[in-house]
C-alpha cells in the first residue's frame, strides 16, 4: 500500500483515485479548497497531478516544500482550448509541462505518463480492442519503476509500458494531444489511446 494524493477531482482525478483505492492504496483527493492540495501533498509519498494543464505549473510550484522528495506523476497536458473546448495548441511548444514542473521543482521526481489517451483508458486499458501504450518520461529511474508498478496496479501489462527516457521526452507525448480533437471530431468521444504498432 502506498499513500497517494490526487490533485484534481474532475473526471481524470476521480477516475484515478477510485481505481487506486480499489487497488489497495491509501488515496486522498484534493479539491480546490484553500490548503487542500498542500495538506494532501504533505502526507503522501506519491502525488498525481490531474489538474487542468494550463494552470498546473503555478499551482504545483506553490507546493515546492510539500513536494520535496516526493514522486510527482504528471498526467496533464498544457494546452489552450479552441472554441469547441478541445485542445487547439500547446502552451509550452518546444518544451512540455513535465519539463517545466521538473525545473520549478528540482527536489521532486517528476514522471510523465498516461497523457496519450482518453481518461477511461487510464484505469481500464484492456477495454480497447488492441493493446495501448503507456509511456514513461522522467530523469529518476527509481521513480519511474515505482510509477510502472502503479500502472500495473491499474491493469497495465508490463509489455504495454514503454520507458521513453528522460523528462525531455515528455514533449513528444504531450504533443500527441494535438491528435485528440481531430480523432474526437472524426469518431466521437469514444475511448482511445496512442499506441505503437510493433
Amino acid at each position: 500500500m502506498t499513500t497517494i494524493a490526487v490533485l484534481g477531482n474532475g473526471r481524470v482525478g476521480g477516475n484515478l483515485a477510485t481505481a487506486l483505492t480499489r487497488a489497495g492504496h491509501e488515496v486522498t483527493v484534493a479539491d480546490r479548497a484553500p490548503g487542500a492540495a498542500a495538506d494532501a501533498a504533505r502526507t503522501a509519498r506519491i502525488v498525481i497531478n490531474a489538474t487542468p494543464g494550463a494552470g498546473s505549473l503555478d499551482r504545483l510550484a506553490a507546493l515546492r516544500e510539500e513536494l520535496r522528495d516526493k514522486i510527482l506523476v504528471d498526467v496533464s497536458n498544457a494546452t489552450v482550448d479552441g472554441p469547441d473546448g478541445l485542445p487547439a495548441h500547446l502552451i509550452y511548444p518546444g518544451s512540455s509541462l513535465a519539463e517545466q514542473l521538473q525545473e520549478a521543482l528540482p527536489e521532486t521526481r517528476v514522471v510523465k505518463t498516461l497523457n496519450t489517451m482518453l481518461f477511461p483508458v487510464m484505469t481500464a486499458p484492456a477495454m480497447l480492442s488492441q493493446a495501448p501504450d503507456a509511456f514513461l518520461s522522467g530523469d529518476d529511474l527509481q521513480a519511474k519503476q515505482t510509477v510502472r508498478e502503479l500502472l500495473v496496479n491499474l491493469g497495465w501489462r508490463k509489455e504495454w509500458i514503454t520507458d521513453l527516457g528522460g523528462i525531455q521526452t515528455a514533449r513528444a507525448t504531450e504533443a500527441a494531444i494535438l491528435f485528440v480533437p481531430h480523432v474526437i471530431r472524426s469518431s466521437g468521444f469514444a475511448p482511445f489511446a496512442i499506441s505503437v504498432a510493433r
Side-chain angles (χ1 to χ4, degrees):
M1 182 188 75
T2 302
T3 53
I4 300 172
V6 179
L7 307 185
N9 62 347
R11 292 180 299 185
V12 174
N15 186 41
L16 287 168
T18 298
L20 289 166
T21 299
R22 193 181 303 125
H25 299 287
E26 183 181 328
V27 181
T28 301
V29 179
D31 57 22
R32 291 179 178 268
D39 290 343
R42 190 178 296 112
T43 58
R45 178 180 174 227
I46 297 172
V47 178
I48 297 175
N49 175 38
T51 64
S56 289
L57 183 57
D58 288 342
R59 285 191 191 99
L60 273 71
L63 301 175
R64 182 168 176 167
E65 286 306 311
E66 290 84 357
L67 291 170
R68 184 190 301 271
D69 298 325
K70 306 290 175 73
I71 295 172
L72 176 62
V73 183
D74 179 32
V75 303
S76 296
N77 291 302
T79 61
V80 173
D81 292 342
D84 58 2
L86 296 175
H89 60 84
L90 302 172
I91 291 178
Y92 306 111
S95 182
S96 63
L97 173 58
E99 289 172 272
Q100 298 295 314
L101 288 170
Q102 187 63 85
E103 184 176 347
L105 302 164
E107 294 167 309
T108 301
R109 296 173 289 165
V110 179
V111 179
K112 188 81 177 190
T113 193
L114 296 180
N115 63 310
T116 55
M117 62 201 69
L118 289 192
F119 75 93
V121 182
M122 294 178 176
T123 58
M127 74 190 312
L128 300 179
S129 60
Q130 63 191 59
D133 280 289
F135 302 102
L136 297 173
S137 298
D139 294 333
D140 188 288
L141 293 177
Q142 186 177 8
K144 285 193 286 188
Q145 179 58 34
T146 299
V147 175
R148 182 186 293 270
E149 291 165 7
L150 271 190
L151 294 181
V152 171
N153 290 167
L154 292 174
W156 289 85
R157 296 183 186 174
K158 292 179 180 178
E159 63 269 24
W160 296 351
I161 304 169
T162 301
D163 185 345
L164 295 179
I167 198 69
Q168 76 279 0
T169 64
R171 65 184 66 176
T173 61
E174 287 190 29
I177 191 67
L178 299 178
F179 275 105
V180 170
H182 307 297
V183 174
I184 289 174
R185 292 184 193 111
S186 172
S187 55
F189 200 81
F192 72 90
I194 303 295
S195 63
V196 178
R198 296 178 177 87

